[in-house]
Amino acid sequence: MGLNVAEKNGDLETQKILKPWLVAYLLSLCISLVGGFVIGWWMYKYHPTNSELWMVPFGLILLVTPVFIWFSVIISDLFTSKNEDDKAYGKSQRVRPVDDSVCDPER
């Protein structure tokens, strides 16, 4: 009839994981909008006189940087292994020598 405790906890964990991503997405969207507004304001107010040219690169940086960040995050997530066996990056593993002469202390 209702959800059991495990399903409720799973939903809460999903909400806790999605909430920071949603905040980051909305923040980057706002930054891009501010960049677009800066460029639009420059075109409306200063483009005929070609003054206040600092607004153009500043607006472009604000407009495009979140796109590059999200692109790099998505691409890195696609190419990251999801297997538990492949996550042993921090563990030190012995490297096997090519021949036995390296391990022989008499040589």
Side-chain angles (χ1 to χ4, degrees):
M1 289 186 201
L3 295 174
N4 61 17
V5 176
E7 289 177 352
K8 289 180 184 177
N9 289 339
D11 290 341
L12 290 176
E13 289 178 13
T14 304
Q15 289 176 357
K16 288 180 184 178
I17 291 171
L18 290 179
K19 193 171 184 178
W21 283 100
L22 182 63
V23 170
Y25 174 73
L26 291 175
L27 184 64
S28 64
L29 181 66
C30 290
I31 291 171
S32 289
L33 286 174
V34 167
F37 286 135
V38 167
I39 292 174
W41 180 253
W42 178 82
M43 287 181 66
Y44 172 73
K45 181 89 174 179
Y46 299 110
H47 182 61
T49 60
N50 277 337
S51 61
E52 300 295 330
L53 292 175
W54 64 269
M55 295 174 78
V56 176
F58 180 70
L60 286 174
I61 288 171
L62 288 178
L63 182 69
V64 177
T65 300
V67 174
F68 282 124
I69 291 172
W70 279 103
F71 181 73
S72 65
V73 167
I74 290 170
I75 293 298
S76 68
D77 190 47
L78 288 176
F79 290 111
T80 302
S81 177
K82 303 292 187 225
N83 295 335
E84 292 295 325
D85 296 335
D86 294 338
K87 291 186 179 180
Y89 296 117
K91 296 180 181 177
S92 61
Q93 298 176 357
R94 297 191 96 167
V95 178
R96 187 174 171 188
V98 177
D99 57 354
D100 290 333
S101 65
V102 177
C103 294
D104 192 10
E106 295 177 5
R107 289 188 182 186

